[in-house]
Amino acid sequence: MRRPVQWKSGIPDFFIDPQGAGRYTFGKYIQEGEHMADWLDNAIFYEIYPQSFQDSNGDGIGDFRGIMRRLDYIRDLGCNAIWMNPCFESPFYDAGYDVTDFYQAAPRYGTNEELRELFEEVHRRGMHILLDLVAGHTSLESPWFKASCRPEQNAYTKRFIWTDSVMEDTGDISGVCGWLRGMADRDGAVAVNCFSTQPALNYGFGNVTKPWQSAADSPEAEEGRRLLEDIMSFWLELGCDGFRVDMAASLVKADPGHRCTKRLWQKVRRFLDTHYPEAVLVSEWGDPKEAIEAGFHMDFLLHNGPTHYMSLFREQPYFSKRGTGDISAFARTYEEHYRSAEGKGLLCIPSGNHDMKRLRDTLDEEEMKLAFVFLLTMPGCPFVYYGDEIGMRYLDGLTSREGGYERTGSRTPMQWENTVNAGFSAAPEERLYLPVDPDPARPTVESEKSDPGSLFHVVKELTKLRQSHPALLSGGDIRFLYAEQNAYPFLYERRSAEESLLVILNPADRAGACPLAEEPGEILYFCGSRARREELTWKDGQLRVPPCSAAVCRKKG
């Protein structure tokens, strides 16, 4: 049930600045003893939901060989890194976030050998790939969990969180979503994360109040951490480049301020820095200040958490042409998180993901173009959710599949061509993982490519722009110049040692104006179907921005 670890040998040399301030990366100093994988500097990620991306064998479900078939598309779009949702063996009560065997690829996607081949094909194209690691729980069908259910003591008795009695009143414990009772010969109730099909692994408790609770530094909690490191080693040795960690803040229970959870991840980070220094850890935490302190290289701005991410695209969205949004709270909070993470890690802004409604549900194509200008000119690594680059719709009212519920409509098959099943699969319609968007006017890669003014081409132009300018890369600095309450436009400066760029955004369906001390400079990129470059004007310290437009300018000097 555990696999031997084969360590990669050697630790790379680092450039130490002559003043002794720390190791240098991305134009910033990071703390001594830390390391940031160099490839993150220009990384643009593409999220793949494997069961919905491309079916290669006609069974109606996407697979590894289907992904390999589409790698050139991802690269040509301008994305050079991939985050793939869970692909391990699972009963799929929660779309693979309920793992049976962490060392085995799910047969519906392919074999471990095919997954290794996928890693090689990704690397052959100069790209990188992260696997989705479910760190906090297994499935009910996991051999580890089944062994823990036995009444006699064994190696797995304390691998999960069990009370001493099935009748015990457990009370409300932070980090525990519920309890399963009466489903094993063993006396006791077992804690679960999220769904009842996900028994929680035991990483201990920050505050121990019951005899059955392990401390966060107990032998069983430490064994849980070593298990994580073993799983990571297995897949890193096979060729992946790191992990996006599911529910990363939830591991230690009853842990105020996530103090003990941070300590756990800091140990994992030290392990990776020592043995796999180019491996990357991205957290589903939703609070970058905490996550990066915990040792993650990056944290997402999410639909939950304190970052005001939802005010960008989904809830009273700033990027709506209605012009009723407010960017000020986002900018204020972003700057706070950005400065706390500076030199230590990155903030990632996704277009969306498998857990939220698609961008196209609240924004039309014109609005999405401006949203992508923002996404691809901000610091940190941008993440594009599959299909968002062509404006795929959220399909409302679908019957839940594999625990999707209201999220199901964001997980439908990728729309490649104007052919049967939109080119996703040759299977009969009734065997598809989920229905394809039935709208005859649904966007496809084929139709978007044929339209020079499409969203697809805007995204492609922006990825090229980002890769061409050091100031726009992950570690380029940012300064908000105009981000006022209930006001349009939105201005920020991106800077590197080589250049200074000004990003101007006015999603509102009306002209906007704001003070700007210096002339914006040469327009490198302009986006606006209703406006022309000439309508962006500056005079006497006042910038006037046409409606529904965006520009990236190179400042003089």
Side-chain angles (χ1 to χ4, degrees):
M1 294 180 184
R2 289 225 20 214
R3 312 296 168 92
V5 180
Q6 294 180 311
W7 308 117
K8 285 187 176 177
S9 60
I11 303 173
D13 295 329
F14 296 93
F15 173 80
I16 307 295
D17 76 286
Q19 307 304 318
R23 291 173 178 141
Y24 190 75
T25 183
F26 300 169
K28 295 184 172 66
Y29 292 104
I30 66 173
Q31 293 181 0
E32 186 65 36
E34 295 180 352
H35 173 62
M36 185 77 78
D38 293 338
W39 61 268
L40 290 178
D41 194 18
N42 69 344
I44 302 173
F45 280 86
Y46 191 87
E47 181 188 349
I48 293 176
Y49 197 66
Q51 50 267 65
S52 292
F53 195 59
Q54 179 68 67
D55 172 22
S56 71
N57 60 8
D59 66 356
I61 296 177
D63 47 48
F64 297 144
R65 294 216 171 274
I67 295 170
M68 284 186 253
R69 177 181 159 192
R70 298 297 186 178
L71 288 177
D72 288 340
Y73 165 79
I74 296 170
R75 182 193 59 189
D76 293 346
L77 179 66
C79 296
N80 54 13
I82 291 168
W83 158 32
M84 184 168 63
N85 292 112
C87 61
F88 305 140
E89 193 172 282
S90 168
F92 291 98
Y93 288 111
D94 186 21
Y97 284 95
D98 47 333
V99 178
T100 299
D101 187 345
F102 288 94
Y103 301 91
Q104 188 63 50
R108 76 184 196 179
Y109 300 137
T111 64
N112 280 19
E113 178 59 26
E114 287 174 316
L115 185 50
R116 183 194 61 78
E117 186 180 345
L118 172 59
F119 298 156
E120 290 180 351
E121 288 297 316
V122 167
H123 295 152
R124 192 167 65 84
R125 290 165 173 79
M127 301 162 67
H128 295 83
I129 183 168
L130 304 183
L131 295 182
D132 210 323
L133 179 61
V134 184
H137 51 265
T138 70
S139 78
L140 294 175
E141 298 179 18
S142 163
W144 301 343
F145 179 66
K146 288 181 178 181
S148 81
C149 291
R150 298 173 190 152
E152 66 275 6
Q153 289 281 322
N154 61 71
Y156 303 94
T157 297
K158 294 186 177 181
R159 183 154 290 182
F160 297 83
I161 300 172
W162 287 87
T163 67
D164 288 333
S165 169
V166 73
M167 301 300 182
E168 180 171 348
D169 181 7
T170 53
D172 185 18
I173 298 174
S174 64
V176 176
C177 293
W179 299 86
L180 294 179
R181 304 173 190 272
M183 44 75 66
D185 293 335
R186 174 180 179 171
D187 192 9
V190 64
V192 298
N193 288 342
C194 197
F195 293 162
S196 60
T197 54
Q198 297 164 328
L201 288 161
N202 185 12
Y203 297 98
F205 288 71
N207 289 333
V208 175
T209 59
K210 301 279 188 178
W212 49 266
Q213 296 176 353
S214 303
D217 59 355
S218 64
E220 51 267 30
E222 285 293 289
E223 174 67 12
R225 175 182 58 80
R226 286 191 291 271
L227 171 65
L228 274 182
E229 293 169 354
D230 191 56
I231 294 167
M232 289 178 175
S233 297
F234 181 83
W235 292 107
L236 290 166
E237 292 290 340
L238 206 64
C240 85
D241 298 296
F243 305 90
R244 175 268 192 188
V245 180
D246 179 61
M247 296 177 63
S250 70
L251 269 58
V252 179
K253 310 304 183 186
D255 185 23
H258 302 110
R259 177 176 54 90
C260 296
T261 304
K262 291 176 190 174
R263 190 178 302 135
L264 183 158
W265 285 116
Q266 287 163 357
K267 291 179 181 179
V268 172
R269 173 67 182 273
R270 285 197 293 272
F271 165 82
L272 291 176
D273 282 351
T274 299
H275 300 288
Y276 303 94
E278 289 302 302
V280 164
L281 274 183
V282 183
S283 58
E284 184 193 36
W285 199 298
D287 189 335
K289 284 192 296 184
E290 285 200 348
I292 291 170
E293 180 187 346
F296 285 90
H297 296 90
M298 300 187 280
D299 185 40
F300 286 107
L301 308 192
L302 294 174
H303 51 293
N304 48 28
T307 60
H308 296 276
Y309 168 80
M310 294 297 279
S311 66
L312 294 171
F313 314 128
R314 289 173 173 84
E315 294 176 356
Q316 196 69 16
Y318 184 79
F319 282 87
S320 166
K321 63 185 65 168
R322 294 192 302 270
T324 56
D326 183 6
I327 201 68
S328 62
F330 167 82
R332 184 170 59 250
T333 307
Y334 183 92
E335 187 168 34
E336 177 186 347
H337 285 277
Y338 178 81
R339 296 306 171 195
S340 73
E342 192 170 10
K344 303 174 187 175
L346 302 172
L347 283 62
C348 310
I349 308 179
S351 66
N353 64 32
H354 58 289
D355 281 336
M356 64 181 83
K357 289 188 174 182
R358 281 194 177 272
L359 201 62
R360 185 64 180 83
D361 192 58
T362 46
L363 303 183
D364 64 24
E365 185 169 316
E366 184 178 18
E367 293 163 335
M368 286 183 69
K369 290 176 181 178
L370 302 189
F372 269 105
V373 175
F374 167 77
L375 285 165
L376 290 165
T377 59
M378 286 289 285
C381 298
F383 279 71
V384 179
Y385 184 48
Y386 84 96
D388 278 354
E389 74 278 12
I390 60 170
M392 276 180 60
R393 297 189 308 142
Y394 171 80
L395 299 191
D396 203 4
L398 291 184
T399 300
S400 178
R401 178 78 190 269
E402 297 183 351
Y405 301 101
E406 66 176 11
R407 305 171 297 177
T408 303
S410 294
R411 302 175 176 186
T412 56
M414 179 64 176
Q415 295 158 198
W416 295 104
E417 302 156 2
N418 303 319
T419 59
V420 64
N421 297 327
F424 163 69
S425 172
E429 184 177 341
E430 63 272 12
R431 291 181 58 194
L432 297 182
Y433 175 73
L434 283 171
V436 174
D437 185 348
D439 189 341
R442 66 191 175 212
T444 64
V445 171
E446 181 183 5
S447 60
E448 288 277 305
K449 279 187 172 182
S450 67
D451 177 4
S454 70
L455 174 63
F456 168 84
H457 283 290
V458 167
V459 174
K460 189 170 181 177
E461 290 166 6
L462 287 165
T463 59
K464 183 177 180 181
L465 179 76
R466 183 181 180 92
Q467 300 288 17
S468 302
H469 290 277
L472 294 179
L473 296 180
S474 297
D477 200 9
I478 187 170
R479 183 166 62 108
F480 293 115
L481 302 181
Y482 192 79
E484 298 301 311
Q485 187 173 6
N486 301 317
Y488 291 78
F490 174 33
L491 271 64
Y492 49 91
E493 180 184 31
R494 296 295 314 278
R495 292 177 294 181
S496 68
E498 298 87 349
E499 62 183 351
S500 177
L501 304 182
L502 177 66
V503 180
I504 303 167
L505 294 158
N506 181 23
D509 196 10
R510 61 179 182 273
C514 68
L516 182 65
E518 300 175 351
E519 188 176 357
E522 175 194 2
I523 298 176
L524 301 176
Y525 178 81
F526 184 84
C527 180
S529 57
R530 304 185 190 183
R532 299 186 304 275
R533 290 171 178 248
E534 294 78 13
E535 297 176 49
L536 179 67
T537 60
W538 179 87
K539 184 178 181 181
D540 299 330
Q542 193 76 2
L543 180 71
R544 183 171 177 81
V545 187
C548 302
S549 69
V552 179
C553 304
R554 179 160 40 208
K555 299 179 72 176
K556 295 180 179 179

